[in-house]
Amino acid sequence: MVTPLHLLVSRNYLETLKALIQLKPEINIFDYEGNTILHEAATGSIEILNELLKINGIEQLLPVINSKNMTAMAIACFEKKVINLKRFMTFGLPA
């Protein structure tokens, strides 16, 4: 299943994503490859990732492994998306 969140993240539709997040959608949903919205965001824009990391409860998706045996952080690393990898690594740390 591909959710509206998955589509907005993969297409980099930041403003629409912000609007949908305000409606508090279910985030614990996987696509047909076992990807969460964080897996989708791993190679996208840092702005999208930052918005997702503001969602209450998003930390539960960090350890999720998809059908290719990868977490979202592993995907960012594999795809050399350094800025996103750094953001994952500092998530939850005080500014």
Side-chain angles (χ1 to χ4, degrees), residues 42-80:
T43 59
S45 75
I46 190 64
E47 293 82 13
I48 292 284
L49 181 57
N50 282 332
E51 283 304 311
L52 293 178
L53 292 176
K54 294 177 188 176
I55 297 173
N56 187 33
I58 198 73
E59 66 279 354
Q60 70 183 346
L61 300 181
L62 289 170
V64 172
I65 297 172
N66 68 9
S67 65
K68 295 180 181 174
N69 208 30
M70 297 182 85
T71 63
M73 193 161 73
I75 290 171
C77 184
F78 184 77
E79 295 294 332
K80 299 177 184 153

Side-chain angles (χ1 to χ4, degrees), residues 10-29:
S10 69
R11 304 240 191 298
N12 201 34
Y13 293 157
L14 182 60
E15 294 307 314
T16 309
L17 177 67
K18 286 180 182 181
L20 184 57
I21 288 172
Q22 290 179 357
L23 299 174
K24 297 183 169 95
E26 173 61 45
I27 59 169
N28 197 21
I29 298 176

